[in-house]
C-alpha cells in the first residue's frame, strides 16, 4: 500500500499515444495537438482533469482544463510553436467542490433543509482558501501556475476565507447563504484552487516532435549535379548547379536534392547500365561511396570544393531552395574506413570484407557496415559526425538511403542526438520495404518517408492506401512523401501510359500528399524507356552515366509542374493530409478527393481518371457541405490547370476526363452565397 | 548508448495486452492462450522468436518457438493449468544461422562459388557448439531449458564441433561439405543453440489470471434465506435452506447466492415497499448491514449460527452447489464500525455521519465508507478481513454489491491479496454503471460482471452488445454474467410480456452467456408486478419483507429451467462465449446465433423471437460450415426444449416462432454424412 492508493481517478486510452507512449507524435510549428482520453472516477463523483504541456527547454508545465466529450471521454488541445520535443501529460482528480455544489443545487430545488450542506461547503471553501494562500500542497505538476501572481493569490485567498466565514455564519439567513454558495463568484474562485492531493497522473509524459513547416509541406526536385553541365560531355559542377537554380526554383520547388556527392570508388566500379565491366571513362555510381580522396565527408573532386558546395547552398537559399543531401551509409572498397576501421565491416573467413548481397545477387562495389560490430559505439559516432559535417556546411535536409538496412536503435539515437542541437533538420527515410518496418523508421524519428505510392495504380488501391495513411494512427507519426519516379523506379504506368500517365501521377503525388517530389529532368522530359521489358530501371540510367538533358524541350511538363506547385503554395488545403476526404463516383476509374484548411477558407477538389488511353466520364457526389461548409448548396469549381470554371450543385455532378487534356481536374471550390454575382469578375 | 543498442529486433502490437500490459487477461484452467505480436528486424534478416510462459510459483520460463503468420505477425500458444497469476513474455533475435543457410542454398542453386560461405558457416556452427557446451552466454530468459539435460548438451556440443570441423576441412570435397551445410541434422542441431546475445525482450512480463472453470461457466440461483421457511410468516433459517437445496440443485444450478446474511440495522430501517416508517415487525433490508449483534462478519440471529451456516455450505456442496455471499461494503447506523471507527466515515459539520445520497434522494439507513479516510490502510485491512472470515467458513464465491462506489485501487489490492492465498475465489461485480467503469472493475480483478443484458430488448441491440463483449478486447478480461431479473430489477418486458417474455429472457441469458443467473423463486414463479407503473422495483419486494413462495406452483418455469441447465452442462458449446456467432435472418424480430466447442463436437444454434405477443416467421442462413465444420451440407437441428428435430440444408432455412410455445429454439446441430441413417435412432 502506498499513499497514491487513495487515488480515485483513472486515465486511460489516451489518443494519440504511439505504442503506449513509446514514441512521440509529430507536428509542425503552429499546429494544434488534440488529445483525448477516457477519464473517470469511482461512484458518481465528478472529475476534473487538465492537459499539461511543456515546450522544449521550458521547466514548467502549462495546464489547461480538459473538456468533457461523451461517455467518459475528455479532450484538450495545445499549440506547438517551438522546434524540438514538446511534452504533454494529463492529471485528473475528484472534484469535491463541484460535486458538493451540484448536490446542493438539487437539494435546494427539491426544497430540502440544506443547513448542514452549507456548512460542509464552508469547510471546502476554507480549504480552498488555505490552498490559495499557498500553505496547502502546491500544484503537483509544477510550481505555482505562472498566470497567478502571488499578490493575486493572496487577494483570492482572503476573499475565499471571507466567503467561507459567511457560509458558516449562522446569523446570516440561510437563503442568503444558499445564494452565496451557488454564486458564480464562489464557483470560479474555488475552482481555481482545487484539492489535488489524491490526483492521478500519467506515469510518464508523452511527447510531440515539433518540426518546422517544411517537414509537413515540401516539394522536392531530385537531380544529379554531375549532369548539370551546359556542355555535353563535361562533368557537371556545383557552379553549373548554381546556373540551374532558377530553373528549379521557377517550377516552384523548395527542396533541391542531390544523390551522394562524395568520391566514387574505382574498385569493382559499375559501368553504364550497371555493367560489371566499366569503360575507362564511366563515372560510376554515386552510391559507391569513398575513394582515395575521402569518404562521407569528402566531395567528389570533379563536382567542386567544399567552399563551392557551401556557396551553392547559400545561393540556393536565395532562390528559396534548400539543398538536401543523400546519406547512404555504405562504402565502396576504396573508402578510407575499409582500411582505417575494418572492425566496422563483416570480415569473411579469407580476411576479405563482406560485400552487399541479396542472394544470389552480389553487389561487390558496396560494403555494408556491421551494426553488430564490437566497436559499434565508435561507428555510431562516426556516422553521426557525417551528418554534423554537412549540417555545418549549411545542409538541414537529408534523404537517407535504405535506412531499413541499418539498425533501428542507431536511427533513434542519431536522429535524437542531431535534433537536440539542430531541431530544424529534416530526415527523409528512403525505405521501400515491408509496411511495419517503414512505420517503425518513422516512429524512430524520420521526419518524412517514402511510400508505396508508386505502386498504387488504380483508384480503389489508391484510396485504400491513403485512408490507411490519413485515417489511422499512422497520420500521427508517418509523413508520406510521394514520388512518381526516382532514379531507381520507372514504373510501368509511366513506361506505357505516355504523357497522360505522367500528368496523372504528378497530380496525384502533388495533391494527395503535402510532401512530394520528382526525379528530374527525367520526369519533366517524359523519359520512359526501361532498361529491358519488365524492369523498373531506366535505360542508360543516370545512376551510371552523365546525362545531357535538353531542359528547354517544348514537350517538357514544366508548365504544369509550375502551375501545380503554385497551387500548392497558394491553397493551404494542399499543405496538409489530415483533411483528405474521398468522394463517391459512379465510375471506378475515377477517383475524387478533397482537402480543406481547418478554417474552410481553402477547399480543393481533385478528380482523376486512371485511364491513360480512353476518355472516362461519370458522376461524382460532392459539395462544400461534405467538408463542413455551412448553408451553401451552390458553388463553383475552378480548374487551376485549365483556367475553366463550372457551376455545381451540392450532390451529384458530371465530369468528363480526356487523356489528351490530362485526365485530371484540380479544382478550387468556391461556395456561392444566394445572390452572388456569377459573372467572370467573381473569379 | 548501452549494450542493448546492438539489438536489432522489434516486438510490438502484442495481443492480448490490456492497456499496454497494465492488466492481466483472464482464462480458466485448461484453456489455451493465443498470443500474437508484430516481430521484425532491420534489413532482410530472418528473425526467430519465442513465447515464454511461467505458471504461478514456478521460477523458470518455458519457451516455445513462435510461428510466422503473415506481414511480420507471429503467433504462439500455451495452456494454463494452475490457478493464479501466469506470466508470459516474448523474446526475438536475428537468426544468423538461418539467414546464412538460406543464402547458401540460393547461391548453390545459382551455381556460385560458395567455398567462403561454407567456411563462414563453420564459424557459426563452432559458435553454436560453444553455446551448447555451456561456455557461451546462457539462455537469457532463464536457466538451461529443462528439456535438455546436460549429458545431451554435451553430446550435441561435440557433434556440432565435429560438423564445424568438417565444414572447415578443405580436404573434403566442396560438394560434400555443401551437402552437410544444408543438412537437416545440422539445421536442427544449430537451431537449438542460437546466438541470443543481442535479443530483444519485453520490458515487463504480461499476465494471465487463471481461474477455475466455474469462473467461466456457472449458473446462479439467488434467493433470500429468510424466505426459505416452510411455515408462512416464520423467518427462514439456514436449516430451512438445507431443505431447499434439492429444489435448487435439481434445476441444475451450481451457485446458490444469498443477499447479505448479517444483522440488520434498526435505526432508520425501511419498511415494506421501501417505506420510511417501518411497522414493528418489518424485517428491514439485508443491505442495511450491522446491528447490536455485529457487522459484516456476524450473522443475523434469526437465520442461525455461524456453525449452521458452515453446515449449510457443506451440505450445499454435497448437492453440487456453492454458496455465494453478497458483500456490500456499507453500514447501517447501528453497525459497530460507526462507533469503533468513525474515521472510516464522512463526518458532517454537526458531528453526524454522512448517509448515502443521490441528491435529492437520501438513504439514511446506509452510511457509505470513506475511501479517502486518513485511516484508509486499516479500513482496507478490515474489509479484506471480512472476505477472509467467510472464506474460512467455506465460501469461495462473492457477489460484490456496488463495487463502483468504492475506490478502484482498493479492489485491485484486495482481490490480489485474497487470490494470492485463495486463487479459487470468484468475485462477481454488481456494477450497473457507465461502460468504462464496469470494464475497469473487471480489469482490476473481478472474475465476472453484471452487464446491460437486462436492458437490451431487441434483436439488433442484443447482437451489437454481444459483439462488443465477444469480438473486442473485452472478451480477454470481462466475463459477463447475464441476469433476466434481480431483486432490484423487474424489467418492463417481464412486466408486460407474460410467460413468453420470461422464457425468451431466460433462454437468451442461458445461451448467450456462459455465466448467468436468476433471482428466484420470483423468476420461475413469473412474479411480474411492479411497485408502480414505470418502476423496475417489485411490488412487495422481498428486499423489505419475508415472502411466502409456492414453489410447487404448476405454472412454474422449473421444467424449462431444468432442461436449459441440463443442456448447458451437456453441450460444451454453451460453456464459452468466444465462439458466439450471429447468423443472418430476414426478420428483424428474430435473432439467430450459434456457439461451438473448439473441436466442433458440440455445435448449438439458438433462434429467438423478441415478439412476445404475435408469431414471427422468417428465413435464417445457417449451416455447420459457417462455424468451420467441413464437407457437410445436410444436417439436423434438434430442439432440446421441444424434443423435435428438423432436417436442414446449409443455407437458408425457415423458422416459425409462436409466443404460446415459447418463441425460441435451442437447437443441437448434428451434421449428417452423405449416407447417414436419418431414422429416429440417429438421435
Amino acid at each position: 500500500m502506498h499513499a497514491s492508493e487513495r487515488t480515485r481517478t483513472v486515465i486511460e486510452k489516451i489518443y494519440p499515444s504511439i505504442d503506449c507512449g513509446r514514441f512521440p507524435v509529430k507536428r509542425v510549428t503552429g499546429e494544434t495537438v488534440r488529445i483525448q482520453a477516457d477519464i473517470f472516477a469511482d461512484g458518481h463523483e465528478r472529475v476534473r482533469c487538465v492537459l499539461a504541456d511543456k515546450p522544449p527547454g521550458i521547466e514548467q508545465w502549462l495546464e489547461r482544463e480538459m473538456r468533457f466529450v461523451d461517455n467518459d471521454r475528455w479532450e484538450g488541445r495545445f499549440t506547438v510553436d517551438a522546434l524540438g520535443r514538446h511534452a504533454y501529460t494529463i492529471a485528473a482528480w475528484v472534484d469535491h467542490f463541484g460535486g458538493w455544489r451540484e448536490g446542493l443545487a438539487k437539494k435546494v430545488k427539491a426544497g430540502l433543509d440544506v443547513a448542514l450542506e452549507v456548512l460542509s461547503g464552508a469547510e471546502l471553501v476554507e480549504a480552498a482558501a488555505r490552498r490559495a494562500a499557498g500553505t496547502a500542497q502546491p500544484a503537483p505538476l509544477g510550481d505555482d501556475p505562472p498566470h497567478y501572481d502571488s499578490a493575486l493569490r493572496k487577494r483570492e485567498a482572503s476573499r475565499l476565507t471571507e466567503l467561507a466565514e459567511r457560509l458558516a455564519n449562522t446569523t446570516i439567513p440561510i437563503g442568503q447563504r444558499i445564494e452565496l454558495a451557488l454564486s458564480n463568484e464562489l464557483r470560479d474562485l474555488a475552482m481555481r484552487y482545487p484539492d489535488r492531493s489524491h490526483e492521478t497522473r500519467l506515469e510518464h509524459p508523452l511527447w510531440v516532435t515539433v518540426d518546422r513547416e517544411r517537414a509537413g509541406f515540401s516539394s522536392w526536385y531530385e537531380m544529379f549535379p554531375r549532369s548539370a553541365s551546359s556542355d555535353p560531355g563535361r562533368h557537371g559542377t556545383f557552379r553549373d548547379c548554381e546556373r540551374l537554380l532558377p530553373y528549379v526554383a521557377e517550377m516552384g520547388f523548395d527542396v533541391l536534392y542531390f544523390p551522394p556527392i562524395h568520391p566514387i570508388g574505382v574498385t569493382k566500379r559499375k559501368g553504364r547500365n550497371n555493367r560489371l565491366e566499366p569503360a575507362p571513362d564511366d563515372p560510376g555510381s554515386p552510391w559507391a561511396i569513398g575513394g582515395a580522396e575521402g569518404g562521407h565527408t569528402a566531395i567528389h573532386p570533379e563536382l567542386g570544393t567544399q567552399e563551392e558546395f557551401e556557396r551553392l547552398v547559400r545561393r540556393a537559399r536565395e532562390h528559396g531552395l534548400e539543398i538536401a543531401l543523400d546519406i547512404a551509409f555504405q562504402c565502396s572498397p576504396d573508402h578510407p574506413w575499409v582500411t582505417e576501421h575494418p572492425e566496422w565491416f563483416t570480415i569473411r573467413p579469407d580476411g576479405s570484407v563482406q560485400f552487399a548481397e541479396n542472394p544470389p545477387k552480389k553487389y561487390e562495389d558496396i560494403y555494408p557496415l556491421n551494426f553488430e560490430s564490437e566497436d559499434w559505439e565508435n561507428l555510431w559516432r562516426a556516422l553521426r559526425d557525417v551528418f554534423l559535417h554537412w549540417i555545418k556546411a549549411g545542409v538541414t535536409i537529408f534523404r537517407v538511403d535504405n535506412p531499413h538496412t541499418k539498425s533501428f536503435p542507431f536511427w533513434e539515437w542519431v536522429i535524437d542526438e542531431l535534433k537536440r542541437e539542430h531541431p530544424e533538420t529534416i530526415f527523409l527515410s528512403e525505405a521501400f520495404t515491408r509496411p511495419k518496418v517503414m512505420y517503425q523508421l518513422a516512429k524512430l524519428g524520420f521526419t518524412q518517408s517514402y511510400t508505396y505510392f508508386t505502386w498504387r495504380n488504380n483508384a480503389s488501391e489508391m484510396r485504400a492506401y491513403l485512408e490507411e495513411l490519413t485515417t489511422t494512427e499512422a497520420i500521427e507519426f508517418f509523413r508520406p512523401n510521394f514520388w512518381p519516379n526516382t532514379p531507381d523506379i520507372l514504373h510501368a504506368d509511366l513506361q506505357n501510359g505516355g504523357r497522360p500517365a505522367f500528368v496523372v501521377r504528378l497530380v496525384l503525388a502533388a495533391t494527395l500528399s503535402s510532401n512530394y517530389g520528382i526525379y528530374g529532368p527525367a520526369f519533366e522530359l517524359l523519359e520512359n524507356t526501361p532498361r529491358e521489358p519488365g524492369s523498373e530501371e531506366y535505360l542508360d540510367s543516370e545512376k551510371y552515366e552523365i546525362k545531357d538533358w535538353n531542359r528547354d524541350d517544348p514537350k517538357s511538363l514544366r508548365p504544369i509542374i509550375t502551375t501545380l506547385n503554385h497551387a500548392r503554395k497558394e491553397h493551404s488545403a494542399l499543405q496538409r493530409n489530415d483533411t483528405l476526404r474521398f468522394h463517391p463516383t459512379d465510375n471506378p476509374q475515377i477517383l475524387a478527393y478533397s482537402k480543406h484548411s481547418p478554417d474552410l477558407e481553402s477547399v480543393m477538389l481533385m478528380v482523376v481518371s486512371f485511364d491513360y488511353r480512353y476518355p472516362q466520364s461519370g458522376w461524382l457526389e460532392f459539395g462544400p457541405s461534405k467538408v463542413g461548409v455551412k448553408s451553401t448548396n451552390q458553388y463553383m469549381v475552378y480548374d487551376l490547370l485549365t483556367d475553366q470554371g463550372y457551376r455545381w450543385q451540392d450532390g451529384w455532378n458530371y465530369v468528363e476526363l480526356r487523356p489528351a487534356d490530362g485526365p485530371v481536374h484540380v479544382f478550387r471550390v468556391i461556395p456561392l452565397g444566394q445572390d452572388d454575382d456569377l459573372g467572370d469578375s467573381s473569379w
Side-chain angles (χ1 to χ4, degrees), chain A residues 224-239:
Chain A
F224 285 73
R226 69 185 182 187
S227 299
S229 153
S230 46
D231 316 323
R234 181 171 65 73
H235 195 288
T237 66
F238 294 138
R239 292 272 175 180

Side-chain angles (χ1 to χ4, degrees), chain A residues 21 23-26 54 85-88 204-209:
Chain A
F23 298 107
V25 300
K26 296 195 180 109
K54 203 163 67 170
R85 301 252 290 178
H86 196 116
Y88 62 97
H204 306 288
L206 298 163
W207 298 92
V208 187
T209 296

Side-chain angles (χ1 to χ4, degrees), chain A residues 66 71 80 84 100 155 197 240 252 282 299 411 413 418 427 433 443 518 647:
Chain A
M66 296 178 78
N71 190 17
V80 289
W100 163 80
R155 274 202 310 283
S197 48
D240 294 316
D282 279 351
I299 289 177
W411 289 121
W413 172 81
L418 295 168
F427 299 87
T433 179
K443 291 176 189 174
I518 58 170
R647 184 173 176 150

